[in-house]
Amino acid sequence: MSAIIQGTGAATALTTLNSKKLVARSRTSLPGVDAGRRKRCIVAAGSDASKSFGSSSLLTLRHSHKLFANAVATKADTSATTTGHELLLFEALQEGLEEEMDRDPHVCVMGEDVGHYGGSYKVTKGLADKFGDLRVLDTPICENAFTGMGIGAAMTGLRPVIEGMNMGFLLLAFNQISNNCGMLHYTSGGQFTIPVVIRGPGGVGRQLGAEHSQRLESYFQSIPGIQMVACSTPYNAKGLMKAAIRSENPVILFEHVLLYNLKEKIPDEEYICNLEEAEMVRPGEHITILTYSRMRYHVMQAAKTLVNKGYDPEVIDIRSLKPFDLYTIGNSVKKTHRVLIVEECMRTGGIGASLTAAINENFHDYLDAPVMCLSSQDVPTPYAGTLEEWTVVQPAQIVTAVEQLCQ
Amino acid sequence: MKFIPESSPQRVPCYRVLDENGRIILNSDFIPVSEKLAVRMYEQMATLQVMDHIFYEAQRQGRISFFITSLGEEAINIASAAALAPDDVVLPQYREPGVLLWRGFTLQEFANQCFGNRADHGKGRQMPIHYGSKQHNYFTVSSPIATQLPQAAGVGYSLKMEKKNACAVTFIGDGGTSEGDFHAGLNFAAVMEAPVVFICRNNGWAISTHISEQFRSDGIVVKGQAYGIRSIRVDGNDALAVYSAVRSAREMAVAEQRPVLIEAMTYRVGHHSTSDDSTKYRTADEIQYWKMSRNPVNRFKKWVEDNGWWSEDDESKIRSNARKQLLQAIQAAEKWDKPPLAELFNDVYDVKTKNLEEQELGLKDLVEKQPQDYPPGFHI
């Protein structure tokens, strides 16, 4: 109960903040709903620090043992609508996909085991039964083939959602993604569009081995013509899925192996998220922490500790990996003057590296300290649990980094 | 215990209708071609030849940067196009401009693409010969080999879903069949039961790699069965045979919703491209032989003439007309402006992203500040 009261209290203060600074451009989201979502976002974020949902934690992770039980920005629905339904992230993806397939008969799904098996992570569960096995197509094992197939189908008017069983496997499809998906709209002089969505789980999981723990966003980020987004909550997973399907551009939707079982209550009414927008997770004054996907949770865990130590970090989930939402990021930098990037990509050539460059280039004058970027080690992800744990950024490191930056 | 041998004692026979002298072989089965159709086919084959020669020369003169001819493969180009319906979606490799020519792409449009001028449908974004026209159901050529094969499976899938009376038709060379995408595309089309016609132009050479160094199988036709795909080997230099085979394949693909593989045997008379000098790896005699005695255009001409449908007069007229039109088209295309800088950042996405807008402004700034450093006519 106390949480809700606190939430409302925070809301008044924060709404002022909201109206002044965070009027982002929404190109594709439904206007009314998007504004509502942002407000809700902020309300929830501001009140997370002391919220404790105890055993009924809204965050349940597979194999979770010591990480963040409650630190996430939960979207406690404190507005008048107490409806909404609770679901897991993979179910949110499925819901978004199903809604779009209902809405537009051109939307189809292709990939390995997506049909009657329901997908390796159950994102396409039940869809083959409902839409038939032509529209939810099980393909032979050849990533380059089904990606190429999706591109050909898209050029003929369909809107395929291509699932890579693991993002790492999409390296086999790099030729089709780079040379065709990203390029054909341009090289055909705009005659052909390729409205595909390429999605799948990536990132470092729990002892899945090096080949199954890759961060493809690093490799794909240079490809002109594609957009990249990373989902991190059931809310934005569904919203981004829908937006990606509706987009006329090829969009790569990065999901994370460890986030599929996150639980959250999402609105009953229809909504989509803006593909190019970053998400304000927790407004603050002292430092801007930019992150995405699973690292968001490590950051929020660290944020708990930091708040207890008296810091006020602003946490932004950048969500849009290509292009970066420099508007939201810029506003934050101008306010806090300190930036910490926390990513799961490797130190060399990751999203963090590009983001550091972009911030330095655009907001150099507003920085009181050099941009710091915490990334994974430049090593293939080892299998041993203890080793694996220390290839990625841990909350303790984030706390230390913030303390260092805020001296 | 019995091992299936690595090859059959007999090579797969080759379907043929006309002999080398342009006479119909006794007892051949083929789909008859009317005078009107035959004359049109011949005219287009002759036009394609003239087009190839003139654009090749234009490249040699430095007027365009690059060109690929389809010399020696005119029958495959035109006869296959003639056998298809306008709704059939064509995914070319790059040696099939004749299909686009048949469908109505004008000589001016070909020239515009090669010169990459303002009027190019591709807006000057691709190298010469990378034609593409949505209007003509001809997908834009993409340089990497064989990428169009899985895409063709996708097109077939799309047509199947929409239950259209159309099929996907895609072309590949002998070399391209070594690419993984060949395996991928065929396997998928077979499993999906997609209406796709795969046409392999086996022309003997992949730049300097002869087919004996490309695969160890009896050509490409035998690979079809490995994927569960009905296949045929056809004499690619016999326009009537190509016409019949492609027409039948197309009907099968659409009616039975299955892929079909056609291996069209031919010879690449020209160099791989203007960046190649094939006399470095094959004898001039070999080239001459195929150019003169096994020429598909001459062979078909003989048949058309024997039927009384074509005269020497017609011949000189078509060639000189084509030549004149091409020279005019080239002159015009050469003169027209190149696409403006304003087109550089368009069509990367449907709507420019912020960073692209910034990059465009940055470039515009540069051009305005230092116009002397930029070619004339380089305006935003």
Side-chain angles (χ1 to χ4, degrees):
Chain A
M1 271 318 278
S2 59
I4 295 168
I5 295 169
Q6 251 178 334
T8 337
T12 354
L14 290 162
T15 352
T16 342
L17 178 72
N18 177 30
S19 56
K20 260 194 245 161
K21 305 225 170 154
L22 301 170
V23 185
R25 262 87 58 79
S26 309
R27 261 190 275 167
T28 52
S29 48
L30 313 165
V33 178
D34 191 59
R37 168 190 72 73
R38 258 185 282 125
K39 236 180 282 175
R40 250 194 304 251
C41 234
I42 290 150
V43 166
S47 47
D48 82 312
S50 41
K51 227 172 0 215
S52 172
F53 288 79
S55 54
S56 60
S57 165
L58 293 197
L59 220 212
T60 49
L61 276 189
R62 259 191 301 180
H63 313 301
S64 160
H65 48 275
K66 35 182 173 40
L67 295 178
F68 40 94
N70 325 298
V72 77
T74 50
K75 281 179 190 45
D77 226 330
T78 57
S79 49
T81 52
T82 42
T83 47
H85 54 290
E86 210 172 57
L87 42 50
L88 305 180
L89 194 145
F90 78 86
E91 291 170 335
L93 286 167
Q94 194 237 32
E95 204 174 82
L97 182 49
E98 191 174 344
E99 281 177 20
E100 291 306 298
M101 288 180 80
D102 275 327
R103 179 180 174 268
D104 182 351
H106 294 101
V107 181
C108 55
V109 181
M110 51 188 73
E112 295 155 18
D113 300 303
V114 296
H116 294 285
Y117 188 73
S120 292
Y121 290 91
K122 300 283 167 265
V123 174
T124 53
K125 189 163 125 184
L127 297 181
D129 289 331
K130 181 170 174 185
F131 297 106
D133 47 21
L134 196 57
R135 242 181 118 186
V136 183
L137 189 67
D138 274 328
T139 65
I141 309 175
C142 188
E143 284 71 14
N144 208 24
F146 60 73
T147 306
M149 191 173 148
I151 292 167
M155 286 166 82
T156 337
L158 292 187
R159 305 185 81 90
V161 176
I162 301 164
E163 174 174 310
M165 193 180 282
N166 185 288
M167 271 285 167
F169 307 155
L170 290 184
L171 286 171
L172 287 151
F174 210 119
N175 185 13
Q176 289 287 354
I177 293 174
S178 174
N179 279 325
N180 292 302
C181 192
M183 287 190 193
L184 276 165
H185 183 60
Y186 188 77
T187 59
S188 69
Q191 293 183 80
F192 295 99
T193 54
I194 309 178
V196 296
V197 176
I198 298 172
R199 49 158 293 269
V204 176
R206 293 271 179 241
Q207 299 190 263
L208 297 176
E211 299 91 346
H212 293 75
S213 310
Q214 302 199 65
R215 283 124 286 169
L216 273 265
E217 56 270 25
S218 304
Y219 310 134
F220 288 154
Q221 63 178 317
S222 283
I223 302 173
I226 56 154
Q227 271 190 270
M228 305 198 306
V229 289
C231 63
S232 50
T233 67
Y235 182 89
N236 65 34
K238 178 177 174 183
L240 289 174
M241 169 73 92
K242 288 169 72 88
I245 292 173
R246 293 188 195 188
S247 169
E248 289 304 310
N249 300 312
V251 179
I252 305 185
L253 170 57
F254 290 90
E255 301 155 15
H256 196 286
V257 274
L258 292 183
L259 301 184
Y260 281 125
N261 284 348
L262 284 183
K263 199 192 287 189
E264 188 183 3
K265 191 184 251 190
I266 65 170
D268 287 329
E269 64 268 14
E270 193 180 26
Y271 69 92
I272 57 178
C273 291
N274 190 325
L275 287 176
E276 293 94 17
E277 225 170 60
E279 190 178 310
M280 178 64 70
V281 182
R282 180 195 191 282
E285 296 289 326
H286 291 163
I287 180 171
T288 299
I289 306 183
L290 303 172
T291 183
Y292 68 95
S293 193
R294 178 207 177 188
M295 284 298 124
R296 166 183 172 145
Y297 298 94
H298 281 208
V299 168
M300 291 311 292
Q301 170 81 0
K304 252 186 70 160
T305 314
L306 287 167
V307 166
N308 287 337
K309 291 192 175 194
Y311 293 95
D312 186 22
E314 178 153 290
V315 180
I316 295 177
D317 181 338
I318 63 173
R319 253 175 33 186
S320 176
L321 306 180
K322 182 181 170 89
F324 292 133
D325 178 4
L326 289 177
Y327 184 81
T328 307
I329 293 171
N331 282 345
S332 180
V333 176
K334 289 174 189 172
K335 181 171 61 159
T336 68
H337 313 296
R338 291 178 158 77
V339 180
L340 172 67
I341 300 170
V342 180
E343 59 162 354
E344 206 176 302
C345 285
M346 289 181 251
R347 156 137 328 283
T348 305
I351 295 290
S354 301
L355 189 51
T356 304
I359 293 172
N360 278 328
E361 204 173 87
N362 287 291
F363 308 116
H364 184 260
D365 288 338
Y366 298 96
L367 291 171
D368 283 347
V371 175
M372 198 190 274
C373 182
L374 296 177
S375 326
S376 298
Q377 315 285 8
D378 277 331
V379 301
T381 311
Y383 166 79
T386 40
L387 296 180
E388 182 186 68
E389 192 185 314
W390 288 98
T391 61
V392 299
V393 179
Q394 296 296 338
Q397 293 165 286
I398 302 173
V399 172
T400 313
V402 170
E403 287 178 328
Q404 210 178 320
L405 270 175
C406 287
Q407 262 158 15
Chain B
M1 178 176 77
K2 199 159 187 290
F3 283 74
I4 303 172
E6 67 274 19
S7 61
S8 304
Q10 304 272 43
R11 289 195 65 182
V12 170
C14 192
Y15 167 63
R16 197 186 229 212
V17 176
L18 291 176
D19 66 16
E20 289 300 338
N21 294 315
R23 303 230 172 77
I24 298 207
I25 298 169
L26 223 51
N27 302 324
S28 342
D29 61 349
F30 66 101
I31 299 172
V33 168
S34 67
E35 174 180 349
K36 187 161 171 232
L37 183 59
V39 167
R40 176 149 197 251
M41 279 168 67
Y42 180 73
E43 284 177 341
Q44 297 260 298
M45 284 166 76
T47 306
L48 180 58
Q49 255 188 347
V50 177
M51 185 174 107
D52 271 345
H53 280 117
I54 294 194
F55 278 124
Y56 186 86
E57 288 309 313
Q59 193 278 342
R60 280 309 185 232
Q61 292 165 12
R63 294 164 89 178
I64 55 177
S65 65
F66 177 82
F67 194 73
I68 282 186
T69 62
S70 26
L71 296 170
E73 303 183 45
E74 294 86 355
I76 295 177
N77 266 256
I78 301 297
S80 64
L84 300 174
D87 277 346
D88 294 333
V89 180
V90 176
L91 294 92
Q93 175 63 71
Y94 49 64
R95 218 181 283 282
E96 305 91 15
V99 179
L100 197 49
L101 181 67
W102 179 272
R103 286 184 166 195
F105 212 58
T106 65
L107 297 176
Q108 187 67 64
E109 287 173 306
F110 279 109
N112 290 340
Q113 199 284 330
C114 288
F115 280 89
N117 64 28
R118 264 197 122 105
D120 169 28
H121 296 305
K123 300 184 191 164
R125 305 233 177 92
Q126 258 292 16
M127 283 174 80
I129 69 97
H130 287 64
Y131 316 111
S133 174
K134 186 164 182 174
Q135 187 197 355
H136 298 101
N137 278 322
Y138 189 93
F139 276 21
T140 304
V141 174
S142 173
S143 314
I145 302 285
T147 53
Q148 69 280 7
L149 299 178
Q151 290 172 13
V155 172
Y157 167 76
S158 171
L159 295 172
K160 186 187 176 79
M161 271 245 268
E162 315 223 289
K163 299 201 172 63
K164 283 219 178 110
N165 177 4
C167 65
V169 180
T170 184
F171 293 84
I172 187 72
D174 42 281
T177 64
S178 293
E179 278 282 356
D181 273 352
F182 172 78
H183 162 81
L186 264 68
N187 192 33
F188 270 58
V191 171
M192 303 305 136
E193 292 170 9
V196 186
V197 178
F198 293 95
I199 302 179
C200 174
R201 296 174 293 95
N202 183 343
N203 64 19
W205 293 95
I207 307 190
S208 69
T209 308
H210 186 249
I211 45 176
S212 57
E213 294 173 318
Q214 192 70 251
F215 40 71
R216 283 279 175 274
S217 53
D218 171 17
I220 314 305
V221 65
V222 292
K223 300 189 186 193
Q225 196 171 52
Y227 298 105
I229 294 181
R230 202 173 285 167
S231 341
I232 187 171
R233 168 174 277 159
V234 66
D235 180 347
N237 285 1
D238 176 349
L240 288 185
V242 173
Y243 178 82
S244 289
V246 175
R247 180 90 184 262
S248 311
R250 189 239 171 235
E251 300 306 337
M252 258 184 252
V254 177
E256 297 175 51
Q257 292 288 293
R258 57 165 64 246
V260 182
L261 171 64
I262 298 176
E263 179 184 17
M265 310 300 287
T266 181
Y267 187 83
R268 193 196 78 207
V269 169
H271 305 304
H272 165 71
S273 72
T274 49
S275 309
D276 173 45
D277 173 11
S278 60
T279 57
K280 286 201 159 68
Y281 49 82
R282 55 184 186 176
T283 63
D285 285 343
E286 180 187 306
I287 305 173
Q288 267 306 95
Y289 168 69
W290 283 91
K291 187 172 177 177
M292 306 312 292
S293 340
R294 305 290 296 271
N295 189 312
V297 184
N298 291 345
R299 191 161 154 202
F300 191 56
K301 180 178 169 197
K302 286 191 195 130
W303 182 71
V304 179
E305 277 179 339
D306 283 349
N307 284 332
W309 296 340
W310 192 255
S311 67
E312 269 317 305
D313 218 28
D314 295 323
E315 180 72 19
S316 49
K317 234 191 285 181
I318 189 83
R319 292 203 181 249
S320 65
N321 272 344
R323 195 185 159 75
K324 196 160 39 153
Q325 278 179 37
L326 277 156
L327 291 174
Q328 278 172 354
I330 288 177
Q331 264 180 9
E334 203 169 31
K335 275 205 216 82
W336 289 340
D337 287 340
K338 298 294 183 240
L341 261 191
E343 280 297 339
L344 181 59
F345 297 93
N346 287 344
D347 301 321
V348 179
Y349 298 103
D350 54 349
V351 173
K352 262 180 277 209
T353 50
K354 187 112 205 307
N355 69 319
L356 284 182
E357 275 176 356
E358 282 170 14
Q359 288 174 24
E360 186 176 30
L361 283 172
L363 185 56
K364 185 170 182 221
D365 228 17
L366 269 175
V367 175
E368 278 171 6
K369 283 204 188 98
Q370 295 153 276
Q372 72 281 1
D373 289 340
Y374 293 87
F378 219 45
H379 48 281
I380 289 270

